[in-house]
Amino acid sequence: MKQIEVSIMGQSYRLGCPDGGEERLREAVSQVDREMCAIRDSGKLKARERIAVLAALNLAYILAERPAAPTAAPASPSDLASEASPLGPLPSPAYVDQLVARIDQVLGQDGHLI
């Protein structure tokens, strides 16, 4: 297994990666970095842990909402070209606010994830 160094929100991480999977892992890191930076830049959250949880929820929600890929045939190039991003549209600010409120409620008064 190969190890690669990546950066998410300006912090370096060393990740294990199966041989041949470097490009796919780097794209996943790029998506996580974009999502976390967008949340941070919105100015509503400062704690890295809360930003990470919200980003994970956003990405999981987007993935869950995607239709299942057809098993009979791969997507045509014209289908792929019409997609705005690999994960689809980002959630609305109102939806993000609702997620933040839910995270605050779950985390309670202590503000700790664990």
Side-chain angles (χ1 to χ4, degrees):
M1 181 174 286
K2 184 177 184 176
Q3 288 200 346
I4 62 172
E5 189 155 332
V6 299
S7 176
I8 299 174
M9 256 182 45
Q11 185 168 345
S12 293
Y13 297 90
R14 187 172 206 107
L15 304 175
C17 179
D19 292 333
E22 296 90 357
E23 184 177 336
R24 192 169 186 175
L25 180 58
R26 288 190 190 279
E27 177 57 33
V29 166
S30 178
Q31 290 171 345
V32 169
D33 182 56
R34 280 192 305 270
E35 183 71 19
M36 288 182 67
C37 287
I39 293 167
R40 177 200 61 204
D41 294 346
S42 74
K44 295 186 183 228
L45 293 173
K46 297 295 180 203
R48 182 179 292 272
E49 294 84 9
R50 287 182 183 238
I51 291 171
V53 168
L54 186 56
L57 288 170
N58 285 346
L59 294 170
Y61 177 83
I62 291 167
L63 288 172
E65 289 295 307
R66 288 174 55 182
T71 56
S76 70
S78 63
D79 290 340
L80 295 175
S82 67
E83 294 182 10
S85 78
L87 293 176
L90 293 176
S92 69
Y95 179 76
V96 171
D97 289 342
Q98 289 173 350
L99 284 176
V100 170
R102 279 192 246 160
I103 290 170
D104 287 339
Q105 182 182 23
V106 169
L107 292 176
Q109 298 300 321
D110 66 41
H112 295 284
L113 290 175
I114 298 175

